[in-house]
Amino acid sequence: MREDEVFINLHQLRVFRTVARHMSFSRAAEDMILSQPAVSMHIKHLEETLGMPLFEKVGRQIYLTDAGTQLLEHSQRVFTALQETREAIAALQDGDAGRLRVAADTTAGAYVVPEYLGIFRQKFPRVEISLDVTNRRTVIERLLSRDTDLAVIGQFPREEELEATPFLINELVVIAWHGHKLANRQQIPLSALAQESFLMREEGSGTRATTEQFFAESGIRPRMGMELASNSAIKQAVAHGLGLAVVPRRAIELELRTNQLVILDVQGFPRVRYWHVVQLRDRFLAPPATHFKNLLLTYSNYPLRPS
């Protein structure tokens, strides 16, 4: 008999298991709320499909044949697999399993997202998590190409295909090394920054785009001192007196505590922005991604202003 000619109805398999458990057609019929002729018919069809008898009768008692014993053993595996499948699907629906893919700009990826992923991991330990940290431009590309479920970025996206929700305050501040001539001044006018050398992130950085837009709107053109590819590099360069920089406050908490850097009291700063959780507008989010987005919004401080 060819494999494609064998078709075992799951209902017939359940009837067979019930008969095998009770070793009685009548008791199986009572258990399944079927007539005894119906039970006998299902067993007969199953035997015809397999081409072998499943039960033999000795006196008034029935016993499993070798084929019946084999079928019972394998049917247990079938129903165990079905149960495991139901549990796996239920876990996905609950967000307890599956995969979560998050992309984040370099600042959010280093100073924002890990904290929330830690909370998520405690709630959903069986979800497989991946975090892709790159610049804002690449993050947007990953979203549009459906290579990630969610993204966390600072600057609000302009792409119509994307839906962004603010969830966390992002304060941009001007920093200097503690010995800088402006370190102890109050209410520093923006014009005083025109003569300073500024360290900038690379093209494609959300912080750089926001900084350049603010200075342009204010009529200030600060001198570009150096272009660096990470906040860590910028912090080190500023701490060694190579210039000023605009960075998210969350990125310098350690340096402030250790007095490696200071925040300058510049008019117009801090610039209050928000980190956003972003998704494709028409994309269905799997439960893990939905739960992570809800977690971001639940633990956020938006729309509160910083004190």
PDB file of all heavy atoms in Angstrom, residues 45 154 165 208 247 290 294:
ATOM      1  N   HIS A  45     -13.646   0.604   9.585  1.00  0.00           N
ATOM      2  CA  HIS A  45     -13.065   1.458   8.542  1.00  0.00           C
ATOM      3  C   HIS A  45     -11.568   1.642   8.766  1.00  0.00           C
ATOM      4  O   HIS A  45     -10.779   1.677   7.807  1.00  0.00           O
ATOM      5  CB  HIS A  45     -13.761   2.814   8.529  1.00  0.00           C
ATOM      6  CG  HIS A  45     -15.143   2.776   7.964  1.00  0.00           C
ATOM      7  ND1 HIS A  45     -16.025   3.824   8.062  1.00  0.00           N
ATOM      8  CD2 HIS A  45     -15.813   1.791   7.282  1.00  0.00           C
ATOM      9  CE1 HIS A  45     -17.158   3.505   7.460  1.00  0.00           C
ATOM     10  NE2 HIS A  45     -17.056   2.259   6.993  1.00  0.00           N
ATOM     11  N   GLY A 154      15.144  57.804  18.366  1.00  0.00           N
ATOM     12  CA  GLY A 154      14.879  59.090  18.979  1.00  0.00           C
ATOM     13  C   GLY A 154      14.072  60.022  18.096  1.00  0.00           C
ATOM     14  O   GLY A 154      13.021  60.520  18.499  1.00  0.00           O
ATOM     15  N   THR A 165       5.164  55.713  18.213  1.00  0.00           N
ATOM     16  CA  THR A 165       4.520  56.091  19.476  1.00  0.00           C
ATOM     17  C   THR A 165       5.598  56.526  20.463  1.00  0.00           C
ATOM     18  O   THR A 165       6.503  55.742  20.769  1.00  0.00           O
ATOM     19  CB  THR A 165       3.742  54.914  20.077  1.00  0.00           C
ATOM     20  OG1 THR A 165       2.826  54.399  19.108  1.00  0.00           O
ATOM     21  CG2 THR A 165       2.981  55.358  21.318  1.00  0.00           C
ATOM     22  N   ARG A 208      22.425  63.755  15.722  1.00  0.00           N
ATOM     23  CA  ARG A 208      23.067  64.754  14.862  1.00  0.00           C
ATOM     24  C   ARG A 208      22.025  65.531  14.069  1.00  0.00           C
ATOM     25  O   ARG A 208      22.093  66.760  13.972  1.00  0.00           O
ATOM     26  CB  ARG A 208      24.049  64.084  13.905  1.00  0.00           C
ATOM     27  CG  ARG A 208      24.636  65.059  12.884  1.00  0.00           C
ATOM     28  CD  ARG A 208      25.775  64.460  12.116  1.00  0.00           C
ATOM     29  NE  ARG A 208      26.283  65.375  11.105  1.00  0.00           N
ATOM     30  CZ  ARG A 208      27.433  65.210  10.471  1.00  0.00           C
ATOM     31  NH1 ARG A 208      28.192  64.156  10.738  1.00  0.00           N
ATOM     32  NH2 ARG A 208      27.829  66.081   9.562  1.00  0.00           N
ATOM     33  N   VAL A 247      24.501  65.465  23.377  1.00  0.00           N
ATOM     34  CA  VAL A 247      24.241  64.035  23.554  1.00  0.00           C
ATOM     35  C   VAL A 247      22.994  63.847  24.405  1.00  0.00           C
ATOM     36  O   VAL A 247      22.588  64.749  25.146  1.00  0.00           O
ATOM     37  CB  VAL A 247      25.434  63.318  24.239  1.00  0.00           C
ATOM     38  CG1 VAL A 247      26.690  63.408  23.394  1.00  0.00           C
ATOM     39  CG2 VAL A 247      25.660  63.881  25.636  1.00  0.00           C
ATOM     40  N   THR A 290       3.988  42.441  20.367  1.00  0.00           N
ATOM     41  CA  THR A 290       2.897  43.206  20.963  1.00  0.00           C
ATOM     42  C   THR A 290       3.130  43.410  22.453  1.00  0.00           C
ATOM     43  O   THR A 290       2.954  44.518  22.984  1.00  0.00           O
ATOM     44  CB  THR A 290       1.554  42.490  20.743  1.00  0.00           C
ATOM     45  OG1 THR A 290       1.305  42.381  19.339  1.00  0.00           O
ATOM     46  CG2 THR A 290       0.418  43.258  21.401  1.00  0.00           C
ATOM     47  N   ASN A 294       3.767  46.967  24.415  1.00  0.00           N
ATOM     48  CA  ASN A 294       2.930  47.347  25.558  1.00  0.00           C
ATOM     49  C   ASN A 294       3.771  47.585  26.801  1.00  0.00           C
ATOM     50  O   ASN A 294       3.475  48.477  27.606  1.00  0.00           O
ATOM     51  CB  ASN A 294       1.888  46.263  25.825  1.00  0.00           C
ATOM     52  CG  ASN A 294       0.830  46.195  24.739  1.00  0.00           C
ATOM     53  OD1 ASN A 294       0.605  47.174  24.017  1.00  0.00           O
ATOM     54  ND2 ASN A 294       0.175  45.068  24.616  1.00  0.00           N
TER      55      ASN A 294
END
